[in-house]
Structure formats: structure tokens, C-alpha cells
Amino acid sequence: MIISVARKGEDSLKRTLFVVGIAIALGRTAFAQATPLLVGVVRDDQGSPVAGASVRALDTSGNPDGSDTTEVSGTFAVSVARPALQVIVSCRYCETKRLKVGADASQPLVVIVTRYPALVSESLSQADLQAVPYRRPSDAAGLLPYIVPVQAVGAYGASASDRNLNLGYSLVLDHGVPAYDLSGQANAFATTPDRSVQRLAVEPANFAYRYGTAAGGGTFLLDSIGTAPSAFAFDTGVNGTVAGYTTLNGFTPNVAESQDTVDGAVRRRAGLDYRADLLGGVLRVDTASYAQEPILDSWTTAVNDSLVHVAYATASRRYVTFADLGASVTGLQDSPVYGDASARSSVFAGTLRVEHPATIATAFGFAMERYSGQYSVPPNSPLNAWLSTNDAYVEANARASHFTIDAALGVSQAGLVTTQEYERRDGGLTALLPSLSLHDALGKGWSLRASVSDSFRAATLTELVTMPAGGRTGFERGTLFDAGLDYDDSQRLRLGTMVFREDLSGFANRGTNGLGFSLTWQITPLLSLRAWTLHNAVEQGNTPPYLPYSPLTLSRSVVWLTYGEPAGLRFDAIVHRDLFDNSPETDIDGDFVVPIAHRIGLTLGTQRIGGKRSVYAGLRLP
């Protein structure tokens, strides 16, 4: 959520910088007629400015005649000694562009380059989320390197985590509100209607110090509003889906409903988003309500959830500031098939982050979370819990010619109180959460990286209710070590290797070793290949029966081939293989999107879920 607010603020700043850059360049032309300038801007095919692009001018004989590098706003000003015939623009993950200079060289140039989306961003774009055959956000996230959809809690597709760390638990920020249900029965991945997530970003496990509990398995940021002003998805079939939003005068209503025959549930969502410029910054307010209802005699839990979130971002010459507050209330009722267990929980959270861009970039932040929950299994007395966490951290980033250091130190203070009948237990944790990352550019595209970080997690009520009495105040600590060797030609190819070790202590007391490989290759300007594989094995330790199932051996491989024309035909073919404790499953899924009208596409796709093949047809906008 904060990321989306920041992007809107950045867009405003970039537009201002573009105007200022052109004015400066034209001013330089006026006051230095002896040195003519070619001025202009470089943007990609989505309209975003391209920073760091190389712009070279050639004279009428084809000889070099000046060069420049674009600013953050995409603007450039090339000093030329002779009349220029053309400019050549090259940039990271872009197709090189040649543009002829007109007879009036004083007119600003606008250069549109084609960027390779598979390489530009390591997250899923809105176009990806709209097109791929995976309706549930956890399955779509599983296309990203080393993200493992797991069943840590709840139903199929209930969760996803970075490398299956933290026993498969992760933190989900649903429109900026932590979707950490203290009762342990709900998760935003499980209750979100299909196709309703239009923006999905992942922050790795070594950023756990920013968020407090449960972030040791990565942090997933979900948003039902994408970068397009309007979006719509409609799927037919046994698992029918309708989801969409549109923006008008700063207000963005959004709705979604889906039916899932895999776990027998109907999921609905309705929300309203408001954005406006305020006091030199950007304000965003979100409200939403969710409902999950079982179909007939399904074992799915009935869930109702409501949330509200307010975020504000502003930037000055020296600082960038983000602040937000959010709250949610969740109620759950088990299916009659499984009895009368019920739960309810609430969340209130706030964060503040201040960044200071400089040669040594620094940042500091604070986070506060208050969770409450109740879990009841008649005829037993309800188990109640209150969890409070207070987090503070500082960060620093230093770059040399080929070496980068990212260092952070977080301090978390957590308290957990549980009551049942006349019994009360209090527990607490004060923890230092260091994070250190090193990156060394070896040359010729090769680089070496290594990092170490700490995290913690508090027990959920579903764990507490089955724990031995002495363990009810426990917290689990995690330490993660990882290292990798990468290759990046800055054009069409990126390779990665990764090894890691995770040590957990408190509940599971076990160590896990892992190894991964990844490949991103833009084969042609329209055809890309993304592939990765991950292999984990528990070296030693124990997993008590009251903890969720987490495999002792895990292997996941994904191969994703995409053909995509700008605003045209798109095709995805996906092969993935999962092996959890010697239970292999290999699936081949895919989709077509064919444009039939302006910004509207007809789609056809197939996915295998739970051993059953499903086929759908539908419409997409954009």
C-alpha cells in the first residue's frame, strides 16, 4: 500500500522534473548558442520515464557528435558540435532505439523505447495478474523465483512464503493492513476473491525487521487497484469469477465475487479507494469488506472481514516520508461438518518511515501493531489472546565503485497475554533484529552477494490451544543466512544461484538448508522465458504436532514462457513441478489473451487444481 502511494507521488515529481529539465535545457540553448543542444525525454511504451538511458547523437556522416545520460525524469540534453542526423538510445533491459532528428533541432525530442517487462521488474505486473491462469493470488505469486504456495493454515492456496521459510508462514499486507489473524484461521490469500488482486509485490525475508511478527517468511503486499485507471476480469466455467474497478474524480470503487469448487466456497469483496493531493503529498484512504461462505456441506470456514487504511506520502528536497494507519476486524465460524469452532480477531497497526537519499542513503522507521483474538471449541472455555508489538529500525546503504552494503538494525518488543477460564499467562520478547547484505560486482556482468538477518513469530491461537501449558507464552526466533552468484548482461539475460540456511528456535527447533537456480531470458523482443528451481531439506530438529504441517523435503520448479505484443496477443505456457515429502505433482497450465476491441481482450485458459483440470473463458480490461 505504501508503495502504491509513493509511486503516485513519484509520478507527480517526475512530471515536474521533466518540465524543469526541458526548461533548463532550452535555457542553456538560449544562453549558449555557440554550443547547440539536443534536448528531449526518454519514456517506455507505458509512458514511464526511463532514467539512466544512454543517448548518443550522430552527425550526417554517422560519426559520434555528443552524448548524455537521462535524469530520473527521463530528460536529456546532448551538446553537439555539428548538425545531428539521428540519436541512438540504449538503456537497461531495453530494445535499442534510433530516431532521426528533424529539420528543426531546437524542438524537444520524445523517444519511446520498448522495455522487457520480464527483466525490468522482479514482481508480477498488472498485465501478468490479469492474464495468467492462476486465479488465486498465492498461486500467481508462486510464479516468482523461490516463492512457494503452501498450506500453512486454512484451505487450498491459503498462504505463500519466501522459500517456505518460517514453516510456511508469511506476513500479508492487505491494502496496507497486516492480515495476521491471531486466531490462526484466516489469511488474506485464502479469503481474497479470485482475480481481485491487481498489484502484488513481495519483500524478502531479510526485511522482517520492518514489520514485526511473521515476516520471516517474506511480506506480501496485495492491492485491488492497479496502475491502469480501470480494470475488469470475467471468467466463465465452474469456478466463475467477476472482478473490477474504475477510477472517477479520485474515487475508485472495486468489487469482486468468485466461486471455488476446490474448497467449496463463494468469496465476495467490495471496497472504495480515494486518492488526492494534500499539503504537498499524496493521501490514500481504503475501505473494504470481505465475505467467504461455504457452499452446501463444504468444510470451508465462513469468514467476514472489514478493514480501513489511511496512508500519506510526501517528499521534500532532503526527505521522503511515509505514514499510515490501518485496522481490521475478522470473524470466523467453522463448517458444521467439522463442529462449532469459532474465532474472531482484530488488528490495529501504524507505521512511519523517513528516507534520506544521499551518497550514503539512510532511513529510519517505527511500527506498532495490536492484535487480539478469541478461539472457541465448545464445550471448552474460549481461549483469548492479546499480542502487542513495537518495532523501531535504522537503515543505511553505501555504494562504492563495485561494492554495495545494506545494513539495518531493528529492535522489537512484543508481549503476548493469554487467558482461559481462570488461567492467565503472560510472555514477552525483546529482540534485536539485525540485517546485513553485501553485494560485490565482480565485472563482466557477474556479481556475488551474501546476507544474514533475524526474525520472530508469535504463536497463533490454534497453536496455543493445543500446546502444552508451559509453551503458551512462546515466541519463535529465526536466523537466515543466504548467498548467491548472479549474472546480468543488462540487456536480455539474467541468471542467479542461491544457497541458504534457516535456523528456527522456540517451537520447531530445526535447521533447513536450501539451494536454488533462476533464469530470465528475453529470447526476442516479444518472447520471454522465466524459470527457476528450489530444493529444501530439513537437516535436523523436530516439529511438534501442534504446529502446521511443513515438509521436511521440498522441491519446486517453474518454467514460464510468455509471448506478448504491446496491447495485442498474449500467450503463457507454464510448467511447474512440486515435491513435498516424496509426493510429486507436475502440472501444465496456460492461457491466451486475444484483443477484440480497444483495450478489451478475450481470454481462454486452463489450470489444474487439486488434481482436477479446469478450463475457463472470459474477458479482460485492459
Side-chain angles (χ1 to χ4, degrees), residues 402-458:
H402 61 86
F403 200 75
T404 303
I405 300 177
D406 291 285
L409 180 62
V411 180
S412 290
Q413 185 278 325
L416 178 63
V417 178
T418 61
T419 64
Q420 189 170 29
E421 290 187 334
Y422 303 107
E423 179 185 15
R424 174 188 170 111
R425 293 183 178 272
D426 297 78
L429 173 74
T430 299
L432 291 177
L433 302 178
S435 178
L436 177 65
S437 298
L438 307 175
H439 184 276
D440 187 10
L442 303 176
K444 296 184 178 180
W446 292 95
S447 62
L448 188 66
R449 55 184 170 81
S451 68
V452 58
S453 60
D454 277 10
S455 63
F456 79 93
R457 181 178 72 85

Side-chain angles (χ1 to χ4, degrees), residues 124-132 195 198 227 570 572 593 622:
L124 295 173
S125 68
Q126 185 176 12
D128 291 333
L129 292 168
Q130 286 279 74
V132 296
R195 301 288 181 191
Q198 296 291 324
T227 55
R570 173 167 174 151
D572 294 281
V593 180

Side-chain angles (χ1 to χ4, degrees), residues 76-328:
F76 63 87
V78 180
S79 299
V80 294
R82 299 173 298 277
L85 176 65
Q86 65 176 333
V87 294
I88 301 176
V89 178
S90 57
C91 56
R92 188 176 176 87
Y93 308 137
C94 294
E95 186 176 4
T96 300
K97 183 68 174 284
R98 293 174 177 264
L99 182 69
K100 288 187 177 181
V101 178
D104 186 359
S106 65
Q107 294 298 314
L109 299 174
V110 177
V111 185
I112 306 298
V113 298
T114 299
R115 307 193 80 177
Y116 304 138
L119 289 158
V120 170
S121 174
E122 296 186 8
S123 61
L124 295 173
S125 68
Q126 185 176 12
D128 291 333
L129 292 168
Q130 286 279 74
V132 296
Y134 305 119
R135 309 184 312 271
R136 304 284 285 272
S138 56
D139 293 328
L143 291 171
L144 298 173
Y146 315 133
I147 301 301
V148 180
V150 292
Q151 196 170 331
V153 292
Y156 167 84
S159 186
S161 68
D162 177 9
R163 290 168 282 183
N164 200 47
L165 299 171
N166 204 29
L167 297 178
Y169 278 102
S170 62
L171 180 64
V172 178
L173 298 183
D174 186 0
H175 289 72
V177 181
Y180 179 73
D181 172 29
L182 189 57
S183 70
Q185 291 289 295
N187 183 286
F189 276 130
T191 57
T192 299
D194 300 345
R195 301 288 181 191
S196 63
V197 173
Q198 296 291 324
R199 185 177 293 176
L200 189 156
V202 184
E203 293 203 347
N206 58 347
F207 285 166
Y209 61 86
R210 294 181 180 178
Y211 299 103
T213 184
T219 302
F220 295 78
L221 297 88
L222 308 185
D223 199 327
S224 59
I225 312 298
T227 55
S230 300
F232 175 77
F234 169 70
D235 288 344
T236 62
V238 294
N239 296 313
T241 299
V242 60
Y245 71 85
T246 188
T247 301
L248 182 63
N249 295 327
F251 290 91
T252 306
N254 50 92
V255 295
E257 179 174 332
S258 65
Q259 176 174 296
D260 196 330
T261 58
V262 175
D263 56 6
V266 172
R267 296 177 173 88
R268 300 183 178 92
R269 181 188 189 282
L272 181 64
D273 173 275
Y274 174 71
R275 304 189 198 197
D277 295 334
L278 179 67
L279 301 176
V282 180
L283 173 70
R284 178 172 178 179
V285 181
D286 293 280
T287 61
S289 293
Y290 294 80
Q292 174 179 284
E293 300 174 1
I295 302 174
L296 300 177
D297 293 330
S298 163
W299 48 265
T300 295
T301 299
V303 181
N304 290 282
D305 179 81
S306 298
L307 67 84
V308 60
H309 181 249
V310 180
Y312 182 73
T314 185
S316 65
R317 294 182 60 185
R318 299 185 60 187
Y319 298 100
V320 181
T321 304
F322 309 88
D324 72 329
L325 287 172
S328 69

Side-chain angles (χ1 to χ4, degrees), residues 167 507-510 538 540-552:
L167 297 178
F507 301 153
N509 295 312
R510 73 180 194 176
V538 174
Q540 50 80 26
N542 68 294
T543 304
Y546 53 78
L547 292 178
Y549 165 73
S550 182
L552 299 180

